[in-house]
Amino acid sequence: MHPVGPASVPAATPDPLDRGWGRRTRWAAVAIVSLVVLAGCHRGAKSGPGSKTGERRPVAVVAEPARPAHVVKDLEVNGTIAPRSQVQVLPRTAGRIVELAVAEGDRVRKGQVVARLDTPELHWQVQQQKSMLLMAEANLDQARDNLARMRELAEGGVASKQQLAAAHTQVRVTESQVKQNKAAIALGQANLAHATVTAPIDGIVIVKNLEQGAMAGPTTPIVTIAEGGALQARLAFSERDLSLVNLGGAVRLTSVALPGEVFPARIREISEIVDPQTRLITLKADLARNGRLKIGMNVRGLVAGTPRKALTVPTEAVLTDGAEQVVYLARGATARRVRVEIGVRAPDRTEIRTGLAPGDPVIVQGSAFVRDGDPIVGPASVPATPSKSPARGS
């Protein structure tokens, strides 16, 4: 093909009306046509002596064999700081709070007065039971006198056995009424004593549920007391990560409120229930009170995983191709694309679950510049550098 230039284009018939821009525009169009034709000629030309059209030159690569290594998957979870144990203080009787002796944040001792209730109804009930007791005791005295008289009449043959038995029964009934009234009085006095509400444990008041003047009862807590000196982190994780969490496992806690500080904890409890709404499981990790973390603070926990042996390759060898993870193998002098399923991904090495076998030569350097079937040159493999610590990742 011969290049076409302005000289090969037939000259146009001079137009006396052409002036200025019209003439320059026509010559510019001729130049563009020439460039397009030249470009087409160059595309069809050979790239050099002995080369073929479209042939790719070999890519220099470095490969490394896939090998087993220890990997660890750490689990990152979110949660809050809570007391290790807490108690809601509920009165054993109902009444209006006339005195609230504690506030949120107060430290209390077991037996310390928390609140006092006004219970006038109980006072009246106790007085009523005392009056009924006096009446029952008087009836008992009368029944006993009647029994004694019936015994004398029965001995003289005046009273029958049925009358004597009835007198015995009347004594037993009145004795029972006396005991019943005494028990009612004791119960009323105990309820009066319960109008003074005390702390059941040593700890810190973390919630004040009611204010002075409010009505309290056996189903309405007045305050909540947390056990002093001990905290726990309550962390939620996905059910798919259950295999990564074990009782006694270590947890490292951090908080955005305390940057740079790490608080160690140990898993004490793993919930037996998966939340049906969130599909999350709750774990509780104990830690000592440190004066830094506060109840209710948001924290992030790093649950240390258990090291295990798995097939790995250098992380830089794993490429993302759309929705797939792939690596390239050095098969002789040809690069071969292999789809893989990855597991733990760490900065230096990545776990390969499926797609490779131990010893497969994975292209580490140059993998981004090859395609399936491309020719490659370079060392078939380089010695794998052993790692002293397991690959940690997500």
Side-chain angles (χ1 to χ4, degrees):
M1 179 180 294
H2 299 284
V4 179
S8 63
V9 178
T13 304
D15 188 347
L17 298 179
D18 284 342
R19 294 290 187 272
W21 282 104
R23 183 173 300 172
R24 285 194 295 271
T25 301
R26 184 171 298 172
W27 281 108
V30 171
I32 291 173
V33 172
S34 301
L35 290 174
V36 171
V37 174
L38 284 172
C41 293
H42 282 292
R43 280 197 296 268
K46 294 182 180 180
S47 57
S51 64
K52 297 180 180 179
T53 303
E55 182 181 1
R56 291 179 60 83
R57 294 181 178 178
V59 179
V61 300
V62 175
E64 178 180 319
R67 61 178 176 84
H70 283 97
V71 297
V72 178
K73 182 178 181 181
D74 295 332
L75 179 63
E76 293 187 0
V77 290
N78 296 316
T80 58
I81 297 298
R84 188 172 301 179
S85 64
Q86 61 185 40
V87 177
Q88 289 185 326
V89 180
L90 294 92
R92 299 177 64 178
T93 186
R96 188 175 301 278
I97 300 175
V98 294
E99 180 187 354
L100 190 57
V102 297
E104 289 186 2
D106 286 354
R107 291 186 174 272
V108 295
R109 305 290 296 177
K110 182 178 180 180
Q112 179 178 334
V113 175
V114 172
R116 300 183 192 277
L117 307 182
D118 182 23
T119 56
E121 296 85 357
L122 291 179
H123 287 282
W124 290 112
Q125 289 175 5
V126 170
Q127 293 302 320
Q128 183 182 21
Q129 294 298 330
K130 288 182 177 180
S131 298
M132 295 176 66
L133 175 61
L134 292 175
M135 184 181 298
E137 289 175 339
N139 291 336
L140 178 59
D141 290 340
Q142 185 179 359
R144 285 173 176 171
D145 290 342
N146 184 53
L147 176 60
R149 187 168 55 254
M150 283 298 163
R151 283 174 177 168
E152 292 177 358
L153 293 175
E155 289 175 358
V158 177
S160 64
K161 292 182 178 180
Q162 289 79 5
Q163 290 175 318
L164 181 60
H168 274 289
T169 301
Q170 185 62 33
V171 170
R172 288 195 295 270
V173 169
T174 52
E175 285 177 344
S176 177
Q177 290 175 346
V178 170
K179 291 179 180 179
Q180 183 178 359
N181 282 281
K182 286 182 178 180
I185 291 172
L187 178 60
Q189 289 174 339
N191 287 334
L192 283 174
H194 294 153
T196 300
V197 184
T198 59
I201 60 171
D202 297 342
I204 301 173
V205 178
I206 58 172
V207 179
K208 184 172 68 173
N209 303 93
L210 298 176
E211 298 290 344
Q212 184 170 323
M215 288 296 298
T219 60
T220 308
I222 298 176
V223 296
T224 301
I225 299 176
E227 180 185 1
L231 295 174
Q232 68 177 203
R234 297 182 181 177
L235 308 167
F237 62 95
S238 173
E239 58 182 307
R240 68 173 177 269
D241 295 321
L242 182 59
S243 61
L244 304 176
V245 181
N246 300 289
L247 290 176
V251 182
R252 301 171 71 244
L253 300 174
T254 57
S255 172
V256 293
L258 303 169
E261 297 189 50
V262 178
F263 305 92
R266 288 281 174 183
I267 299 175
R268 177 173 64 90
E269 181 181 335
I270 301 173
S271 176
E272 297 292 336
I273 301 174
V274 178
D275 189 296
Q277 302 297 327
T278 63
R279 308 308 302 172
L280 297 178
I281 303 173
T282 300
L283 68 83
K284 298 177 181 178
D286 291 342
L287 68 157
R289 184 177 292 277
N290 47 63
R292 302 288 289 161
L293 293 175
K294 308 299 181 184
I295 295 174
M297 287 181 66
N298 292 323
V299 291
R300 188 167 185 82
L302 184 68
V303 181
T306 303
R308 57 184 175 81
K309 205 94 178 250
L311 185 65
T312 64
V313 299
T315 297
E316 61 186 304
V318 182
L319 306 176
T320 300
D321 187 0
E324 299 178 348
Q325 304 292 328
V326 301
V327 299
Y328 284 92
L329 300 183
R331 296 296 191 191
T334 306
R336 291 301 179 191
R337 179 183 184 274
V338 178
R339 179 182 177 183
V340 295
E341 179 185 354
I342 68 172
V344 177
R345 190 181 189 114
D348 54 344
R349 299 196 70 81
T350 295
E351 175 190 3
I352 302 298
R353 293 179 177 172
T354 61
L356 295 181
D360 282 347
V362 178
I363 296 177
V364 180
Q365 298 179 20
S367 58
F369 304 103
V370 298
R371 293 175 300 184
D372 188 37
D374 280 356
I376 55 175
V377 294
S381 64
V382 296
T385 303
S387 176
K388 297 181 179 181
S389 58
R392 311 187 76 96
S394 56

